[in-house]
Amino acid sequence: MKMRLSAGAALLLAFPLTSLGAGDWTQFRGPSGNGISPEIGTPTRLDPARSIAWKVALPGRGLSSPIVVAERLFLTCASGPRQDRLHLFCFSTRDGKRLWERQFWATGRTMTQSKTCVAAPSPATDGRRIFALFSSNDLFCVDLDGNLLWLRGLTRDYPNASNSLGMASSLLVVGDTVIAQIENDSDSFAAGLDAATGVNRWRIERPKSANWVTPVLVGELGAGRPIVALQSSKGVQLVEASNGRVAGSYDATAATIPSSCAGGGVVYVPCNGITALRAAGEGQAVQKLWEAKTLRPQTASPMLIGNRLFVATGAGMLICADARTGEKVWQLRLKGPFSASPVAATNHAYLINEKGFLQVVDINPEAKEGRLVGELTLEPTILSTPAIAGGALYIRNDSTLWKIAGG
Amino acid sequence: MNEFCRIAVVVFFTTFFFSSAGRATVAESIAAIRAVGPEGKGNAEAARGWQELARADAAVLPELFRAMDGANELAANWLRSAVETIVDRSLASGGQLPLDALHDILRDTGRNPRARRFAYELIARVQPGIANGIIPRMTDDPSLELRYDAVQRLIEEGGRLAAEAKADEATRVYRRALDSAREIKQIQQIKGAMDKLGVTVDLPRHFGFLMQWRLIGPFDNTGRKGFDMVLPPEQAIDLAAEYPGKTGPVRWAPFTSEHEYGLINFNLPYGPLKEVTGYAYAEFQSDAARPAELRLGCKNAWKLWANGRLLFSRDEYHRGMEIDQYRFPVELKAGKNSILIKVCQSEQTETWTKEWEFQLRVCDARGTAILSADRPPSTIAKGTPK
């Protein structure tokens, strides 16, 4: 196991880097990428008669999460016998009205394993533009009104950049760079694209190994030099968002499905359970702070709230750990299995299992342990991570998008 | 010239100028979009062109559809998005779509198949009942999406007839459906229904799978190094030659697939080996020079050559396999065409890494089988669909 950080590296750990609305849900697992929303007033006591504010039918499959900007929800689907029809929707969060839809023809391979699908990566936004990536490596950028700004066909550009099981890594937008991890067994790379034109700012080789994790923003390396963590089966690389320069790395066998989260300059990596890494200080190496083998995320990514780290295990256990030490604080048996990652707001965590059973857990830090306070049955199969915005949750499966509010 | 005439002349020339300028702008915008290339090349110019087009009146739609003919896939998506934007705005403001022109595009089977399907969907959006009058005529349409809907109706009709114990009529309908079907799931559905009616379907022939091959191996692939190694079969095809293999001398030997989806399974002649490479060679007799596609399914690392030219290579192991997983346009020569594939097996030991196999078919761009002139009678047996 090797750890290194380039000389001269100094993480200033500044957040956030964008000026989006506090109530927006801008990417996979929310604005911080840690699964949390600053929202208050999200529903806690759920009731089938009152909690489903609206639902709309979807024309195609999707594992991607919704994102929300200024009361507009954006969502992707894929339809057709070969899933080669790619959909990008905009709905009003108020009433679920479809404001616009754009469809595109897939230009890359659409083969996936049956549990996943072509609309697996979640879209992302900088508040002005929507960036939508699909498993076919087709990437589209539109404005909030659906006007096309640019597009890319990354499998056309790099014909061996695909995974026959399907791609699922979501995009990360940092400043004016859109970061994509197009990692697979063959032509494996990460790229930073100019958010204005879609042209490559940088492209770096990555381990030749299938990988479905999403990059996370760690902090800043010096003034205005944001750093992102790229996780893979070979460990973690810290990369400058604007130019792709590798600023440090940690070599180990990390997970390839659940993604890291980051806060306070520490990256919490699904690796030997969870491994906490700090990349801080002028010329300092990447430092392993702790490793907790009992924190074992399987598909769902961990969630970070202040000094508390939450892990939903494959067996259906929600574990709360001290993010400073990795020590378990409490655990609560829930009904799994979970593919969707946990999300939280207002001191409540929301976990939805694959059968469509939503569970609300009171995670008030003053309490000694978590407490199940709400339940709601939707429809199977739900593999997608919910979004939180405007005091509501948004959940989707292959056929329906729900708004959960009130209660 | 009185005042009225002066105004009329100004109005005429103003209208002429702006309409001329509008047409030029449309043409230039389309040209900018059609010029988009790899790695985002031309995106900025295309975006400016797109903004011009998106502001245009619905009357420009036929021109945008025509521009999809011969456009690369990226440009087609730019144009499609411009059409959607114009249509949304036009319909939201109570405008009309140029339906006659859209019908013309739909009828013209020489146009971009995806664009024709798109035209149909726009027509159906404003004339929701139109499908019954259009879709049943589309069983042999170049647009596979239109054809899919037409075939689905035949499958449903066959099911109704079978349920009414009208076996002969159901068989005729299913036969029509099978002749037209190009989507794998529909073909499998029809095959299942015909099996129940006691009717044999020659799937390898329907798909055009190559069943007769010559195999040679095993060669070494320890450490996955065999993938890049140029072994003798890649240098010349000599079916009488003997080469050093991984465990001893190896020679070409005939292999005939008995699998209904044309699997060529190296494990059958060589056993369940690991870290090995095998080659398969076939000769395809074409009646004439013609364009075709080689379509491959393979979950091992592979390289594929046609008439000595490397078409593609891929070093992905055991992530999945399906019919038509990879498609390669080729130009068949009249007479003999050689096809060589290299298939590498990894060191992995999991149960899902046992397969060392591929399936390959020859067809046209729509997926219609092209059969070798010397194709022997069917040799199919039961097999697991892939």
Side-chain angles (χ1 to χ4, degrees):
Chain A
M1 190 178 299
K2 291 181 280 185
M3 298 169 279
R4 53 186 180 275
L5 185 68
S6 305
L11 281 169
L12 299 183
L13 319 173
F15 289 97
L17 294 165
T18 58
S19 56
L20 290 152
D24 293 339
W25 190 265
T26 56
Q27 60 185 350
F28 177 56
R29 298 191 296 151
S32 65
N34 290 332
I36 58 170
S37 166
E39 292 266 318
I40 55 172
T42 47
T44 55
R45 306 297 196 266
L46 301 177
D47 172 352
R50 293 184 299 121
S51 298
I52 299 176
W54 51 255
K55 64 177 184 178
V56 295
L58 300 173
R61 297 191 61 193
L63 274 70
S64 59
S65 295
I67 59 171
V68 179
V69 181
E71 298 189 333
R72 292 181 178 207
L73 181 146
F74 303 89
L75 187 67
T76 57
C77 298
S79 67
R82 295 170 192 241
Q83 287 191 73
D84 56 1
R85 193 75 75 86
L86 312 178
H87 306 251
L88 173 58
F89 287 100
C90 176
F91 297 101
S92 165
T93 58
R94 291 183 183 175
D95 54 11
K97 181 184 175 187
R98 191 172 78 183
L99 300 177
W100 51 259
E101 178 192 5
R102 294 288 172 263
Q103 288 189 33
F104 301 95
W105 294 300
T107 70
R109 299 183 191 100
T110 56
M111 177 182 174
T112 69
Q113 191 251 14
S114 59
K115 190 171 181 179
T116 182
C117 68
V118 172
S122 298
T125 181
D126 61 0
R128 296 181 292 124
R129 296 169 286 213
I130 306 297
F131 308 95
L133 176 67
F134 293 83
S135 174
S136 57
N137 288 331
D138 288 295
L139 172 53
F140 306 99
C141 173
V142 302
D143 68 17
L144 300 188
D145 294 321
N147 295 307
L148 182 62
L149 301 176
W150 53 262
L151 57 79
R152 291 287 301 271
L154 294 171
T155 303
R156 284 176 60 91
D157 293 341
Y158 316 108
N160 255 322
S162 72
N163 182 338
S164 297
L165 292 173
M167 308 287 281
S169 176
S170 299
L171 298 167
L172 174 67
V173 184
V174 181
D176 54 5
T177 303
V178 180
I179 297 165
Q181 274 187 265
I182 310 294
E183 301 189 12
N184 57 88
D185 289 337
S186 193
D187 187 356
S188 191
F189 67 88
L193 310 181
D194 184 334
T197 65
V199 173
N200 291 2
R201 286 172 178 261
W202 53 268
R203 189 169 88 96
I204 58 173
E205 281 187 26
R206 294 280 295 153
K208 282 168 69 79
S209 182
N211 193 12
W212 298 272
V213 306
T214 295
V216 291
L217 178 62
V218 179
E220 289 193 349
L221 178 72
R225 295 166 63 193
I227 291 289
V228 298
L230 305 180
Q231 170 193 333
S232 76
S233 62
K234 306 300 182 193
V236 177
Q237 273 187 327
L238 301 176
V239 170
E240 281 197 55
S242 62
N243 57 26
R245 190 179 70 83
V246 177
S249 62
Y250 176 82
D251 297 341
T253 303
T256 56
I257 296 179
S259 302
S260 301
C261 49
V266 178
V267 190
Y268 302 88
V269 185
C271 172
N272 297 322
I274 295 285
T275 301
L277 304 174
R278 176 180 291 282
E282 186 77 22
Q284 292 181 11
V286 175
Q287 179 188 3
K288 184 168 89 172
L289 301 178
W290 51 259
E291 183 179 283
K293 287 187 167 57
T294 56
L295 304 178
R296 289 200 163 274
Q298 188 171 337
T299 301
S301 300
M303 178 173 72
L304 181 69
I305 307 176
N307 287 328
R308 294 182 302 159
L309 188 70
F310 295 84
V311 171
T313 69
M317 197 73 77
L318 177 65
I319 302 172
C320 173
D322 188 328
R324 294 164 295 193
T325 63
E327 290 176 3
K328 192 181 292 184
V329 178
W330 53 256
Q331 66 181 35
L332 178 67
R333 167 73 65 185
L334 297 172
K335 291 177 182 167
F338 298 111
S339 275
S341 299
V343 294
T346 331
N347 279 328
H348 287 78
Y350 297 86
L351 296 100
I352 189 155
N353 71 15
E354 293 186 1
K355 295 172 185 169
F357 186 61
L358 176 62
Q359 297 152 91
V360 187
V361 179
D362 185 341
I363 54 170
N364 189 324
E366 307 302 322
K368 290 184 178 175
E369 56 188 20
R371 187 167 57 93
L372 183 67
V373 296
E375 298 175 340
L376 182 68
T377 300
L378 298 174
E379 295 163 19
T381 298
I382 295 182
L383 309 175
S384 163
T385 298
I388 298 175
L393 268 79
Y394 299 92
I395 301 172
R396 69 88 55 87
N397 67 8
D398 280 343
S399 59
T400 308
L401 168 68
W402 292 270
K403 176 178 182 178
I404 311 297
Chain B
M1 188 180 291
N2 61 29
E3 186 66 14
F4 175 80
C5 289
R6 275 198 299 275
I7 291 172
V9 167
V10 168
V11 168
F12 174 80
F13 280 105
T14 303
T15 304
F16 178 80
F17 174 79
F18 278 109
S19 62
S20 298
R23 282 198 297 273
T25 301
V26 167
E28 289 166 3
S29 299
I30 288 172
I33 285 173
R34 284 178 58 106
V36 292
E39 297 192 311
K41 182 186 173 193
N43 264 353
E45 295 80 4
R48 283 193 289 274
W50 188 94
Q51 288 166 14
E52 290 295 327
L53 295 179
R55 281 194 286 265
D57 184 82
V60 80
L61 293 177
E63 197 167 350
L64 298 188
F65 274 99
R66 287 192 291 272
M68 293 183 197
D69 292 341
N72 71 46
E73 292 173 298
L74 303 175
N77 269 329
W78 276 101
L79 292 164
R80 179 194 171 99
S81 182
V83 170
E84 284 180 330
T85 306
I86 294 167
V87 167
D88 284 355
R89 194 188 63 245
S90 180
L91 294 180
S93 61
Q96 307 247 319
L97 302 185
L99 288 174
D100 288 345
L102 292 176
H103 276 286
D104 288 344
I105 289 161
L106 174 60
R107 275 191 292 268
D108 188 346
T109 55
R111 296 209 169 277
N112 180 322
R114 281 175 152 175
R116 291 179 52 245
R117 171 71 189 204
F118 185 26
Y120 161 73
E121 290 177 3
L122 292 182
I123 295 167
R125 182 169 163 183
V126 295
Q127 296 178 336
I130 204 74
N132 288 336
I134 292 176
I135 293 300
R137 293 186 274 112
M138 297 294 183
T139 49
D140 296 314
D141 197 88
S143 160
L144 297 185
E145 291 176 291
L146 291 167
R147 184 188 289 229
Y148 182 92
D149 287 355
V151 168
Q152 201 58 38
R153 288 179 179 232
L154 290 177
I155 293 172
E156 289 164 9
E157 185 186 344
R160 279 194 299 273
L161 291 167
E164 294 168 7
K166 297 175 179 173
D168 290 346
E169 291 173 64
T171 299
R172 275 195 295 275
V173 171
Y174 280 133
R175 180 71 66 190
R176 277 181 59 208
L178 183 66
D179 289 345
S180 297
R182 295 295 175 269
E183 287 294 343
I184 311 304
K185 286 176 185 169
Q186 282 188 327
I187 292 168
Q188 290 172 339
Q189 191 180 355
I190 297 164
K191 166 76 165 53
M194 294 181 78
D195 279 348
K196 288 180 184 170
L197 291 168
V199 180
T200 301
V201 175
D202 186 344
L203 282 181
R205 190 176 187 87
H206 181 82
F207 281 105
F209 286 119
L210 298 192
M211 308 295 273
Q212 270 74 34
W213 294 79
R214 285 179 177 272
L215 309 186
I216 191 167
F219 295 96
D220 192 20
N221 189 35
T222 302
R224 305 190 179 191
K225 291 178 179 169
F227 178 76
D228 286 324
M229 205 174 290
V230 179
L231 297 169
E234 298 177 37
Q235 296 168 315
I237 298 296
D238 179 355
L239 297 178
E242 180 178 278
Y243 306 112
K246 182 173 183 177
T247 54
V250 296
R251 301 176 67 90
W252 289 100
F255 181 89
T256 298
S257 175
E258 296 183 348
H259 193 280
E260 61 184 348
Y261 291 90
L263 276 186
I264 309 301
N265 183 350
F266 286 92
N267 285 333
L268 291 179
Y270 302 130
L273 303 177
K274 288 288 174 182
E275 299 192 282
V276 287
T277 293
Y279 291 85
Y281 175 77
E283 292 179 349
F284 184 93
Q285 297 289 336
S286 181
D287 288 335
R290 59 170 300 174
E293 286 191 3
L294 300 190
R295 296 191 180 183
L296 173 70
C298 186
K299 65 182 296 195
N300 304 88
W302 54 269
K303 294 185 178 183
L304 178 64
W305 294 261
N307 290 329
R309 183 171 71 89
L310 179 65
L311 299 179
F312 200 73
S313 58
R314 179 156 175 81
D315 54 347
E316 180 187 64
Y317 289 90
H318 298 294
R319 297 301 184 188
M321 170 179 174
E322 68 177 14
I323 296 170
D324 295 353
Q325 189 174 0
Y326 306 101
R327 297 171 51 173
F328 303 102
V330 294
E331 289 293 330
L332 294 178
K333 300 183 295 186
K336 186 182 87 174
N337 292 268
S338 67
I339 298 168
L340 176 70
I341 182 165
K342 175 182 191 176
V343 182
C344 300
Q345 174 62 300
S346 69
E347 75 294 342
Q348 294 164 280
T349 55
E350 296 92 338
T351 55
W352 41 271
T353 65
K354 288 186 297 187
E355 292 87 356
W356 181 23
E357 63 194 21
F358 71 96
Q359 57 192 169
L360 187 143
R361 70 187 188 111
V362 183
C363 60
D364 68 14
R366 297 173 197 165
T368 307
I370 302 173
L371 301 178
S372 181
D374 62 352
R375 186 184 180 91
S378 178
T379 55
I380 56 168
K382 295 291 181 189
T384 305
K386 285 279 182 181

